[in-house]
Every structure is written in structure tokens, then in C-alpha cells.
């Protein structure tokens, strides 16, 4: 079965398309724990590396600079489950909605399907690594 995998850490918000390691499960990863601590990167995410791990969306916005270090935005997600449907709305620390996605699950087969994705953030540093985000998610 495919799974939606939500986890938290100190990283910036990141959304992945379907990914499977050699001996692992198939998962659609969501790094949503961008509320831990600010984190800086010495280099920007490289498109070829993003493609290798199926990175679809990445919040590269800068919240502030401290001692010449770009600090990212902290944030959170609100999830709602209604029967076989899961909706997830992603926000930054200022309660600005960044994007929303909706998934459905077939309780007989366990198959999950991305039903909707709506990117609200228009900042050029809220990066999409796919020409067709909807298709990349599924």
C-alpha cells in the first residue's frame, strides 16, 4: 500500500511525490514540522537532486536574516479527516495559507488518490519542481 507520510523536524516545508526505496514502502512525504527551529542552507536545492528524490514543493522563502544567515519560515498543517477523505492545509507562522491538498482512500483496496492541490503562495521562493504539480503528486 502507498502511504501519506507526515513528519516533523527543523527543516523547511517540503512536499514529495511518490517515492519508494529499494526495500521500503511507497510514500508521499510531507515534511511539515517546520515549526522546530529556523534552519539555514549554504546552497539552494539543486533541480537534479529535487528530481532524484521526487521533491515537488519547497518553501525557500526567507523570514529574516540573522548574522548574514537566511532564516526560513516556521509553520504548521491542519488536517481534517471525513470518512475516506483527508484534507491538509499548510500555513506559515503568520497564519498565511501556503497550499491545500485533498486525498481520498479506498477502504477496500487501500489505494490513496490525490484529489485536489491548490497552491496559494505566489512568492517566487515557494518553489515548485514540476510543471504539473497535480500530476506529480499522483
Amino acid at each position: 500500500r502507498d502511504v501519506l507520510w507526515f513528519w516533523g523536524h527543523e527543516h523547511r516545508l517540503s512536499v514529495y511525490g511518490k517515492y519508494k526505496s529499494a526495500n521500503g514502502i511507497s510514500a508521499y512525504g510531507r515534511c511539515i514540522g517546520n515549526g522546530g527551529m529556523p534552519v539555514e542552507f549554504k546552497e539552494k536545492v539543486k533541480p537534479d537532486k529535487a528530481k532524484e528524490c521526487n521533491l515537488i514543493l519547497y518553501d525557500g522563502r526567507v523570514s529574516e536574516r540573522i548574522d548574514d544567515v537566511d532564516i526560513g519560515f516556521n509553520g504548521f498543517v491542519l488536517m481534517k479527516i471525513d470518512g475516506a477523505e483527508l484534507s491538509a492545509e499548510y500555513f506559515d507562522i503568520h497564519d498565511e495559507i501556503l497550499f491545500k491538498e485533498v486525498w481520498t482512500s479506498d477502504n477496500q483496496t487501500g489505494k490513496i488518490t490525490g484529489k485536489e492541490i491548490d497552491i496559494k503562495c505566489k512568492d517566487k521562493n515557494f518553489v515548485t519542481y514540476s510543471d504539473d504539480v497535480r500530476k506529480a503528486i499522483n
Side-chain angles (χ1 to χ4, degrees), residues 58-109:
Y58 173 78
D59 189 359
R61 298 174 303 145
V62 175
S63 174
E64 61 182 294
R65 286 184 62 81
I66 300 174
D67 296 330
D68 293 327
V69 174
D70 290 343
I71 306 298
F73 280 81
N74 293 339
F76 60 96
V77 64
L78 293 177
M79 288 187 267
K80 297 175 189 168
I81 299 173
D82 184 10
E85 186 172 278
L86 166 78
S87 67
E89 294 179 312
Y90 299 78
F91 295 83
D92 67 18
I93 196 168
H94 303 293
D95 288 337
E96 295 289 328
I97 188 165
L98 303 173
F99 76 99
K100 175 184 178 180
E101 62 182 335
V102 178
W103 290 80
T104 58
S105 172
D106 182 318
N107 291 333
Q108 300 299 319
T109 65

Side-chain angles (χ1 to χ4, degrees), residues 12 40-50 55 58-62 65 70-72 123-127 129:
R12 295 177 187 232
E40 56 111 354
F41 295 97
K42 294 185 179 21
E43 296 180 15
K44 298 288 183 195
V45 176
K46 295 181 174 136
D48 58 332
K49 188 65 175 171
L55 178 63
Y58 173 78
D59 189 359
R61 298 174 303 145
V62 175
R65 286 184 62 81
D70 290 343
I71 306 298
D123 188 298
K124 66 180 173 77
N125 292 308
F126 190 78
V127 182
Y129 289 97

Side-chain angles (χ1 to χ4, degrees), residues 10 103-104 113 128:
E10 65 217 28
W103 290 80
T104 58
T113 305
T128 59

